[in-house]
PDB file of all heavy atoms in Angstrom:
ATOM      1  N   GLU A1227     143.565 155.604  49.090  1.00 91.00           N
ATOM      2  CA  GLU A1227     144.683 155.209  48.247  1.00 91.00           C
ATOM      3  C   GLU A1227     144.585 153.795  47.688  1.00 91.00           C
ATOM      4  O   GLU A1227     145.135 153.508  46.622  1.00 91.00           O
ATOM      5  CB  GLU A1227     145.995 155.331  49.048  1.00 91.00           C
ATOM      6  CG  GLU A1227     146.317 156.737  49.526  1.00 91.00           C
ATOM      7  CD  GLU A1227     146.600 157.690  48.382  1.00 91.00           C
ATOM      8  OE1 GLU A1227     147.114 157.230  47.345  1.00 91.00           O
ATOM      9  OE2 GLU A1227     146.302 158.895  48.524  1.00 91.00           O
ATOM     10  N   ILE A1228     143.897 152.904  48.405  1.00 90.00           N
ATOM     11  CA  ILE A1228     143.959 151.480  48.078  1.00 90.00           C
ATOM     12  C   ILE A1228     142.558 150.879  48.072  1.00 90.00           C
ATOM     13  O   ILE A1228     141.759 151.174  48.966  1.00 90.00           O
ATOM     14  CB  ILE A1228     144.814 150.720  49.117  1.00 90.00           C
ATOM     15  CG1 ILE A1228     146.184 151.380  49.262  1.00 90.00           C
ATOM     16  CG2 ILE A1228     144.967 149.248  48.731  1.00 90.00           C
ATOM     17  CD1 ILE A1228     146.939 150.925  50.497  1.00 90.00           C
ATOM     18  N   PRO A1229     142.214 150.035  47.095  1.00 87.00           N
ATOM     19  CA  PRO A1229     140.932 149.330  47.137  1.00 87.00           C
ATOM     20  C   PRO A1229     140.868 148.421  48.369  1.00 87.00           C
ATOM     21  O   PRO A1229     141.810 147.678  48.657  1.00 87.00           O
ATOM     22  CB  PRO A1229     140.929 148.505  45.845  1.00 87.00           C
ATOM     23  CG  PRO A1229     141.927 149.192  44.953  1.00 87.00           C
ATOM     24  CD  PRO A1229     142.969 149.746  45.863  1.00 87.00           C
ATOM     25  N   VAL A1230     139.767 148.500  49.077  1.00 93.00           N
ATOM     26  CA  VAL A1230     139.592 147.721  50.304  1.00 93.00           C
ATOM     27  C   VAL A1230     138.321 146.887  50.198  1.00 93.00           C
ATOM     28  O   VAL A1230     137.257 147.390  49.834  1.00 93.00           O
ATOM     29  CB  VAL A1230     139.500 148.641  51.537  1.00 93.00           C
ATOM     30  CG1 VAL A1230     139.188 147.824  52.794  1.00 93.00           C
ATOM     31  CG2 VAL A1230     140.807 149.420  51.727  1.00 93.00           C
ATOM     32  N   VAL A1231     138.446 145.599  50.511  1.00 93.00           N
ATOM     33  CA  VAL A1231     137.282 144.726  50.538  1.00 93.00           C
ATOM     34  C   VAL A1231     137.195 144.083  51.918  1.00 93.00           C
ATOM     35  O   VAL A1231     138.218 143.738  52.516  1.00 93.00           O
ATOM     36  CB  VAL A1231     137.353 143.642  49.436  1.00 93.00           C
ATOM     37  CG1 VAL A1231     138.560 142.749  49.624  1.00 93.00           C
ATOM     38  CG2 VAL A1231     136.079 142.812  49.408  1.00 93.00           C
ATOM     39  N   THR A1232     135.995 143.959  52.436  1.00 91.00           N
ATOM     40  CA  THR A1232     135.794 143.332  53.736  1.00 91.00           C
ATOM     41  C   THR A1232     134.423 142.688  53.796  1.00 91.00           C
ATOM     42  O   THR A1232     133.566 142.944  52.940  1.00 91.00           O
ATOM     43  CB  THR A1232     135.945 144.361  54.872  1.00 91.00           C
ATOM     44  OG1 THR A1232     136.041 143.675  56.130  1.00 91.00           O
ATOM     45  CG2 THR A1232     134.770 145.329  54.903  1.00 91.00           C
ATOM     46  N   GLY A1233     134.245 141.880  54.795  1.00 89.00           N
ATOM     47  CA  GLY A1233     132.940 141.274  55.000  1.00 89.00           C
ATOM     48  C   GLY A1233     131.992 142.246  55.672  1.00 89.00           C
ATOM     49  O   GLY A1233     132.376 142.940  56.618  1.00 89.00           O
ATOM     50  N   LEU A1234     130.766 142.304  55.176  1.00 92.00           N
ATOM     51  CA  LEU A1234     129.757 143.138  55.823  1.00 92.00           C
ATOM     52  C   LEU A1234     129.239 142.398  57.048  1.00 92.00           C
ATOM     53  O   LEU A1234     128.739 141.279  56.944  1.00 92.00           O
ATOM     54  CB  LEU A1234     128.610 143.435  54.856  1.00 92.00           C
ATOM     55  CG  LEU A1234     127.529 144.379  55.396  1.00 92.00           C
ATOM     56  CD1 LEU A1234     128.103 145.772  55.674  1.00 92.00           C
ATOM     57  CD2 LEU A1234     126.362 144.481  54.422  1.00 92.00           C
ATOM     58  N   GLY A1235     129.386 143.019  58.202  1.00 88.00           N
ATOM     59  CA  GLY A1235     128.997 142.384  59.452  1.00 88.00           C
ATOM     60  C   GLY A1235     127.509 142.473  59.714  1.00 88.00           C
ATOM     61  O   GLY A1235     126.690 142.670  58.804  1.00 88.00           O
ATOM     62  N   ASP A1236     127.154 142.346  60.990  1.00 92.00           N
ATOM     63  CA  ASP A1236     125.739 142.419  61.345  1.00 92.00           C
ATOM     64  C   ASP A1236     125.274 143.867  61.365  1.00 92.00           C
ATOM     65  O   ASP A1236     126.063 144.810  61.222  1.00 92.00           O
ATOM     66  CB  ASP A1236     125.467 141.713  62.675  1.00 92.00           C
ATOM     67  CG  ASP A1236     126.348 142.210  63.807  1.00 92.00           C
ATOM     68  OD1 ASP A1236     127.299 142.973  63.551  1.00 92.00           O
ATOM     69  OD2 ASP A1236     126.080 141.843  64.966  1.00 92.00           O
ATOM     70  N   ALA A1237     123.978 144.066  61.545  1.00 93.00           N
ATOM     71  CA  ALA A1237     123.366 145.381  61.375  1.00 93.00           C
ATOM     72  C   ALA A1237     123.949 146.441  62.295  1.00 93.00           C
ATOM     73  O   ALA A1237     124.006 147.620  61.933  1.00 93.00           O
ATOM     74  CB  ALA A1237     121.855 145.285  61.585  1.00 93.00           C
ATOM     75  N   VAL A1238     124.405 146.026  63.476  1.00 88.00           N
ATOM     76  CA  VAL A1238     124.937 146.996  64.424  1.00 88.00           C
ATOM     77  C   VAL A1238     126.206 147.658  63.899  1.00 88.00           C
ATOM     78  O   VAL A1238     126.584 148.737  64.342  1.00 88.00           O
ATOM     79  CB  VAL A1238     125.199 146.319  65.793  1.00 88.00           C
ATOM     80  CG1 VAL A1238     126.403 145.412  65.738  1.00 88.00           C
ATOM     81  CG2 VAL A1238     125.340 147.357  66.901  1.00 88.00           C
ATOM     82  N   THR A1239     126.872 147.043  62.920  1.00 85.00           N
ATOM     83  CA  THR A1239     128.115 147.601  62.381  1.00 85.00           C
ATOM     84  C   THR A1239     127.898 148.497  61.168  1.00 85.00           C
ATOM     85  O   THR A1239     128.855 149.112  60.691  1.00 85.00           O
ATOM     86  CB  THR A1239     129.086 146.476  61.968  1.00 85.00           C
ATOM     87  OG1 THR A1239     128.559 145.777  60.824  1.00 85.00           O
ATOM     88  CG2 THR A1239     129.304 145.504  63.107  1.00 85.00           C
ATOM     89  N   PHE A1240     126.689 148.566  60.652  1.00 88.00           N
ATOM     90  CA  PHE A1240     126.469 149.304  59.404  1.00 88.00           C
ATOM     91  C   PHE A1240     126.882 150.772  59.510  1.00 88.00           C
ATOM     92  O   PHE A1240     127.301 151.375  58.534  1.00 88.00           O
ATOM     93  CB  PHE A1240     125.005 149.216  58.964  1.00 88.00           C
ATOM     94  CG  PHE A1240     124.558 147.848  58.530  1.00 88.00           C
ATOM     95  CD1 PHE A1240     123.212 147.583  58.305  1.00 88.00           C
ATOM     96  CD2 PHE A1240     125.467 146.819  58.350  1.00 88.00           C
ATOM     97  CE1 PHE A1240     122.788 146.320  57.915  1.00 88.00           C
ATOM     98  CE2 PHE A1240     125.051 145.555  57.970  1.00 88.00           C
ATOM     99  CZ  PHE A1240     123.707 145.308  57.754  1.00 88.00           C
ATOM    100  N   GLY A1241     126.739 151.356  60.675  1.00 83.00           N
ATOM    101  CA  GLY A1241     127.109 152.760  60.845  1.00 83.00           C
ATOM    102  C   GLY A1241     128.560 152.965  61.206  1.00 83.00           C
ATOM    103  O   GLY A1241     129.017 154.108  61.321  1.00 83.00           O
ATOM    104  N   ALA A1242     129.302 151.863  61.381  1.00 78.00           N
ATOM    105  CA  ALA A1242     130.683 151.977  61.851  1.00 78.00           C
ATOM    106  C   ALA A1242     131.633 152.524  60.796  1.00 78.00           C
ATOM    107  O   ALA A1242     132.696 153.043  61.128  1.00 78.00           O
ATOM    108  CB  ALA A1242     131.182 150.611  62.319  1.00 78.00           C
ATOM    109  N   TYR A1243     131.258 152.422  59.539  1.00 80.00           N
ATOM    110  CA  TYR A1243     132.159 152.824  58.464  1.00 80.00           C
ATOM    111  C   TYR A1243     132.055 154.316  58.153  1.00 80.00           C
ATOM    112  O   TYR A1243     132.918 154.881  57.496  1.00 80.00           O
ATOM    113  CB  TYR A1243     131.848 152.008  57.202  1.00 80.00           C
ATOM    114  CG  TYR A1243     131.751 150.527  57.449  1.00 80.00           C
ATOM    115  CD1 TYR A1243     130.511 149.911  57.605  1.00 80.00           C
ATOM    116  CD2 TYR A1243     132.888 149.733  57.538  1.00 80.00           C
ATOM    117  CE1 TYR A1243     130.413 148.544  57.835  1.00 80.00           C
ATOM    118  CE2 TYR A1243     132.797 148.374  57.779  1.00 80.00           C
ATOM    119  CZ  TYR A1243     131.548 147.775  57.935  1.00 80.00           C
ATOM    120  OH  TYR A1243     131.452 146.439  58.173  1.00 80.00           O
ATOM    121  N   GLY A1244     130.971 154.952  58.597  1.00 74.00           N
ATOM    122  CA  GLY A1244     130.791 156.385  58.392  1.00 74.00           C
ATOM    123  C   GLY A1244     130.835 156.763  56.927  1.00 74.00           C
ATOM    124  O   GLY A1244     130.300 156.069  56.059  1.00 74.00           O
ATOM    125  N   GLU A1245     131.517 157.860  56.638  1.00 72.00           N
ATOM    126  CA  GLU A1245     131.612 158.337  55.261  1.00 72.00           C
ATOM    127  C   GLU A1245     132.413 157.388  54.371  1.00 72.00           C
ATOM    128  O   GLU A1245     132.344 157.476  53.147  1.00 72.00           O
ATOM    129  CB  GLU A1245     132.253 159.727  55.238  1.00 72.00           C
ATOM    130  CG  GLU A1245     131.407 160.799  55.927  1.00 72.00           C
ATOM    131  CD  GLU A1245     132.060 162.163  55.870  1.00 72.00           C
ATOM    132  OE1 GLU A1245     133.190 162.259  55.314  1.00 72.00           O
ATOM    133  OE2 GLU A1245     131.462 163.126  56.373  1.00 72.00           O
ATOM    134  N   ALA A1246     133.149 156.488  55.006  1.00 78.00           N
ATOM    135  CA  ALA A1246     133.954 155.539  54.234  1.00 78.00           C
ATOM    136  C   ALA A1246     133.114 154.451  53.593  1.00 78.00           C
ATOM    137  O   ALA A1246     133.610 153.694  52.752  1.00 78.00           O
ATOM    138  CB  ALA A1246     134.997 154.901  55.143  1.00 78.00           C
ATOM    139  N   SER A1247     131.859 154.352  53.956  1.00 87.00           N
ATOM    140  CA  SER A1247     131.012 153.256  53.494  1.00 87.00           C
ATOM    141  C   SER A1247     131.045 153.074  51.987  1.00 87.00           C
ATOM    142  O   SER A1247     131.130 151.954  51.482  1.00 87.00           O
ATOM    143  CB  SER A1247     129.565 153.475  53.952  1.00 87.00           C
ATOM    144  OG  SER A1247     129.483 153.484  55.359  1.00 87.00           O
ATOM    145  N   GLU A1248     130.968 154.168  51.248  1.00 82.00           N
ATOM    146  CA  GLU A1248     130.891 154.091  49.785  1.00 82.00           C
ATOM    147  C   GLU A1248     132.246 153.783  49.150  1.00 82.00           C
ATOM    148  O   GLU A1248     132.324 153.538  47.946  1.00 82.00           O
ATOM    149  CB  GLU A1248     130.311 155.380  49.224  1.00 82.00           C
ATOM    150  CG  GLU A1248     128.869 155.618  49.667  1.00 82.00           C
ATOM    151  CD  GLU A1248     128.276 156.901  49.112  1.00 82.00           C
ATOM    152  OE1 GLU A1248     129.031 157.668  48.466  1.00 82.00           O
ATOM    153  OE2 GLU A1248     127.092 157.126  49.320  1.00 82.00           O
ATOM    154  N   GLN A1249     133.320 153.767  49.966  1.00 86.00           N
ATOM    155  CA  GLN A1249     134.649 153.459  49.443  1.00 86.00           C
ATOM    156  C   GLN A1249     135.027 151.992  49.634  1.00 86.00           C
ATOM    157  O   GLN A1249     136.090 151.575  49.180  1.00 86.00           O
ATOM    158  CB  GLN A1249     135.698 154.343  50.135  1.00 86.00           C
ATOM    159  CG  GLN A1249     135.532 155.836  49.874  1.00 86.00           C
ATOM    160  CD  GLN A1249     136.523 156.648  50.693  1.00 86.00           C
ATOM    161  OE1 GLN A1249     136.263 156.993  51.840  1.00 86.00           O
ATOM    162  NE2 GLN A1249     137.670 156.924  50.097  1.00 86.00           N
ATOM    163  N   ILE A1250     134.181 151.246  50.301  1.00 92.00           N
ATOM    164  CA  ILE A1250     134.490 149.860  50.636  1.00 92.00           C
ATOM    165  C   ILE A1250     133.639 148.918  49.792  1.00 92.00           C
ATOM    166  O   ILE A1250     132.447 149.148  49.600  1.00 92.00           O
ATOM    167  CB  ILE A1250     134.221 149.592  52.127  1.00 92.00           C
ATOM    168  CG1 ILE A1250     135.021 150.562  53.006  1.00 92.00           C
ATOM    169  CG2 ILE A1250     134.562 148.150  52.490  1.00 92.00           C
ATOM    170  CD1 ILE A1250     134.629 150.511  54.467  1.00 92.00           C
ATOM    171  N   SER A1251     134.265 147.846  49.301  1.00 90.00           N
ATOM    172  CA  SER A1251     133.531 146.773  48.630  1.00 90.00           C
ATOM    173  C   SER A1251     133.229 145.696  49.665  1.00 90.00           C
ATOM    174  O   SER A1251     134.139 145.215  50.346  1.00 90.00           O
ATOM    175  CB  SER A1251     134.362 146.180  47.489  1.00 90.00           C
ATOM    176  OG  SER A1251     134.595 147.146  46.485  1.00 90.00           O
ATOM    177  N   PHE A1252     131.971 145.318  49.790  1.00 95.00           N
ATOM    178  CA  PHE A1252     131.572 144.381  50.832  1.00 95.00           C
ATOM    179  C   PHE A1252     131.210 143.014  50.256  1.00 95.00           C
ATOM    180  O   PHE A1252     130.356 142.915  49.372  1.00 95.00           O
ATOM    181  CB  PHE A1252     130.359 144.916  51.600  1.00 95.00           C
ATOM    182  CG  PHE A1252     130.643 146.147  52.421  1.00 95.00           C
ATOM    183  CD1 PHE A1252     130.304 147.406  51.941  1.00 95.00           C
ATOM    184  CD2 PHE A1252     131.238 146.054  53.668  1.00 95.00           C
ATOM    185  CE1 PHE A1252     130.552 148.539  52.687  1.00 95.00           C
ATOM    186  CE2 PHE A1252     131.485 147.176  54.427  1.00 95.00           C
ATOM    187  CZ  PHE A1252     131.146 148.436  53.936  1.00 95.00           C
ATOM    188  N   LEU A1253     131.873 141.980  50.784  1.00 95.00           N
ATOM    189  CA  LEU A1253     131.370 140.632  50.568  1.00 95.00           C
ATOM    190  C   LEU A1253     130.410 140.355  51.719  1.00 95.00           C
ATOM    191  O   LEU A1253     130.510 140.942  52.788  1.00 95.00           O
ATOM    192  CB  LEU A1253     132.527 139.621  50.549  1.00 95.00           C
ATOM    193  CG  LEU A1253     133.361 139.502  51.830  1.00 95.00           C
ATOM    194  CD1 LEU A1253     132.848 138.389  52.733  1.00 95.00           C
ATOM    195  CD2 LEU A1253     134.827 139.281  51.485  1.00 95.00           C
ATOM    196  N   ASN A1254     129.470 139.460  51.511  1.00 97.00           N
ATOM    197  CA  ASN A1254     128.448 139.270  52.538  1.00 97.00           C
ATOM    198  C   ASN A1254     127.963 137.831  52.594  1.00 97.00           C
ATOM    199  O   ASN A1254     127.764 137.192  51.568  1.00 97.00           O
ATOM    200  CB  ASN A1254     127.268 140.214  52.268  1.00 97.00           C
ATOM    201  CG  ASN A1254     126.150 140.066  53.281  1.00 97.00           C
ATOM    202  OD1 ASN A1254     125.054 139.634  52.927  1.00 97.00           O
ATOM    203  ND2 ASN A1254     126.398 140.392  54.524  1.00 97.00           N
ATOM    204  N   HIS A1255     127.783 137.366  53.814  1.00 97.00           N
ATOM    205  CA  HIS A1255     127.235 136.029  54.077  1.00 97.00           C
ATOM    206  C   HIS A1255     125.711 136.063  54.032  1.00 97.00           C
ATOM    207  O   HIS A1255     125.076 135.183  53.451  1.00 97.00           O
ATOM    208  CB  HIS A1255     127.735 135.566  55.445  1.00 97.00           C
ATOM    209  CG  HIS A1255     127.027 134.389  56.021  1.00 97.00           C
ATOM    210  ND1 HIS A1255     126.801 133.222  55.314  1.00 97.00           N
ATOM    211  CD2 HIS A1255     126.484 134.185  57.258  1.00 97.00           C
ATOM    212  CE1 HIS A1255     126.175 132.360  56.086  1.00 97.00           C
ATOM    213  NE2 HIS A1255     125.951 132.913  57.264  1.00 97.00           N
ATOM    214  N   TYR A1256     125.115 137.097  54.641  1.00 98.00           N
ATOM    215  CA  TYR A1256     123.651 137.187  54.662  1.00 98.00           C
ATOM    216  C   TYR A1256     123.201 138.535  55.202  1.00 98.00           C
ATOM    217  O   TYR A1256     123.779 139.084  56.125  1.00 98.00           O
ATOM    218  CB  TYR A1256     123.057 136.087  55.561  1.00 98.00           C
ATOM    219  CG  TYR A1256     121.551 136.203  55.749  1.00 98.00           C
ATOM    220  CD1 TYR A1256     120.674 135.667  54.809  1.00 98.00           C
ATOM    221  CD2 TYR A1256     121.015 136.872  56.845  1.00 98.00           C
ATOM    222  CE1 TYR A1256     119.294 135.784  54.970  1.00 98.00           C
ATOM    223  CE2 TYR A1256     119.644 136.993  57.020  1.00 98.00           C
ATOM    224  CZ  TYR A1256     118.785 136.447  56.077  1.00 98.00           C
ATOM    225  OH  TYR A1256     117.419 136.571  56.224  1.00 98.00           O
ATOM    226  N   PHE A1257     122.177 139.097  54.564  1.00 98.00           N
ATOM    227  CA  PHE A1257     121.320 140.102  55.193  1.00 98.00           C
ATOM    228  C   PHE A1257     119.904 139.811  54.692  1.00 98.00           C
ATOM    229  O   PHE A1257     119.727 139.177  53.649  1.00 98.00           O
ATOM    230  CB  PHE A1257     121.791 141.537  54.893  1.00 98.00           C
ATOM    231  CG  PHE A1257     121.575 142.011  53.474  1.00 98.00           C
ATOM    232  CD1 PHE A1257     120.424 142.705  53.111  1.00 98.00           C
ATOM    233  CD2 PHE A1257     122.544 141.795  52.497  1.00 98.00           C
ATOM    234  CE1 PHE A1257     120.225 143.152  51.815  1.00 98.00           C
ATOM    235  CE2 PHE A1257     122.361 142.235  51.193  1.00 98.00           C
ATOM    236  CZ  PHE A1257     121.191 142.921  50.852  1.00 98.00           C
ATOM    237  N   PRO A1258     118.879 140.198  55.428  1.00 97.00           N
ATOM    238  CA  PRO A1258     117.522 139.725  55.124  1.00 97.00           C
ATOM    239  C   PRO A1258     117.048 139.993  53.712  1.00 97.00           C
ATOM    240  O   PRO A1258     116.243 139.230  53.170  1.00 97.00           O
ATOM    241  CB  PRO A1258     116.657 140.457  56.158  1.00 97.00           C
ATOM    242  CG  PRO A1258     117.572 140.692  57.306  1.00 97.00           C
ATOM    243  CD  PRO A1258     118.924 140.966  56.695  1.00 97.00           C
ATOM    244  N   GLY A1259     117.557 141.072  53.081  1.00 97.00           N
ATOM    245  CA  GLY A1259     117.096 141.405  51.739  1.00 97.00           C
ATOM    246  C   GLY A1259     117.868 140.739  50.621  1.00 97.00           C
ATOM    247  O   GLY A1259     117.544 140.941  49.442  1.00 97.00           O
ATOM    248  N   ALA A1260     118.873 139.929  50.943  1.00 98.00           N
ATOM    249  CA  ALA A1260     119.695 139.323  49.892  1.00 98.00           C
ATOM    250  C   ALA A1260     119.014 138.147  49.201  1.00 98.00           C
ATOM    251  O   ALA A1260     118.862 138.152  47.979  1.00 98.00           O
ATOM    252  CB  ALA A1260     121.058 138.919  50.456  1.00 98.00           C
ATOM    253  N   PRO A1261     118.583 137.119  49.927  1.00 98.00           N
ATOM    254  CA  PRO A1261     117.930 135.984  49.248  1.00 98.00           C
ATOM    255  C   PRO A1261     116.485 136.320  48.892  1.00 98.00           C
ATOM    256  O   PRO A1261     115.853 137.177  49.526  1.00 98.00           O
ATOM    257  CB  PRO A1261     117.965 134.867  50.314  1.00 98.00           C
ATOM    258  CG  PRO A1261     118.810 135.364  51.426  1.00 98.00           C
ATOM    259  CD  PRO A1261     118.755 136.851  51.366  1.00 98.00           C
ATOM    260  N   ASP A1262     115.968 135.619  47.917  1.00 97.00           N
ATOM    261  CA  ASP A1262     114.568 135.774  47.511  1.00 97.00           C
ATOM    262  C   ASP A1262     113.955 134.389  47.384  1.00 97.00           C
ATOM    263  O   ASP A1262     113.966 133.783  46.312  1.00 97.00           O
ATOM    264  CB  ASP A1262     114.486 136.547  46.185  1.00 97.00           C
ATOM    265  CG  ASP A1262     113.042 136.779  45.744  1.00 97.00           C
ATOM    266  OD1 ASP A1262     112.132 136.589  46.562  1.00 97.00           O
ATOM    267  OD2 ASP A1262     112.834 137.144  44.564  1.00 97.00           O
ATOM    268  N   ASN A1263     113.468 133.847  48.497  1.00 98.00           N
ATOM    269  CA  ASN A1263     112.856 132.519  48.481  1.00 98.00           C
ATOM    270  C   ASN A1263     111.893 132.377  49.650  1.00 98.00           C
ATOM    271  O   ASN A1263     111.912 133.168  50.598  1.00 98.00           O
ATOM    272  CB  ASN A1263     113.920 131.415  48.505  1.00 98.00           C
ATOM    273  CG  ASN A1263     114.768 131.449  49.756  1.00 98.00           C
ATOM    274  OD1 ASN A1263     114.297 131.154  50.848  1.00 98.00           O
ATOM    275  ND2 ASN A1263     116.038 131.814  49.607  1.00 98.00           N
TER     276      ASN A1263
END
């Protein structure tokens, strides 16, 4: 019903959202594939 945004946690939490994963907008501090340097 409602747009939901949250911070993407560490890797152990990636499976916690289940089928809801594609319904959530994630802000993120870091994951290994984000920066390119």
Side-chain angles (χ1 to χ4, degrees):
E1227 298 294 329
I1228 307 165
V1230 175
V1231 61
T1232 193
L1234 184 64
D1236 54 350
V1238 73
T1239 69
F1240 292 170
Y1243 311 99
E1245 295 181 358
S1247 298
E1248 296 180 354
Q1249 297 175 273
I1250 303 170
S1251 296
F1252 293 99
L1253 62 94
N1254 179 246
H1255 166 50
Y1256 174 84
F1257 71 93
D1262 182 14
N1263 62 69

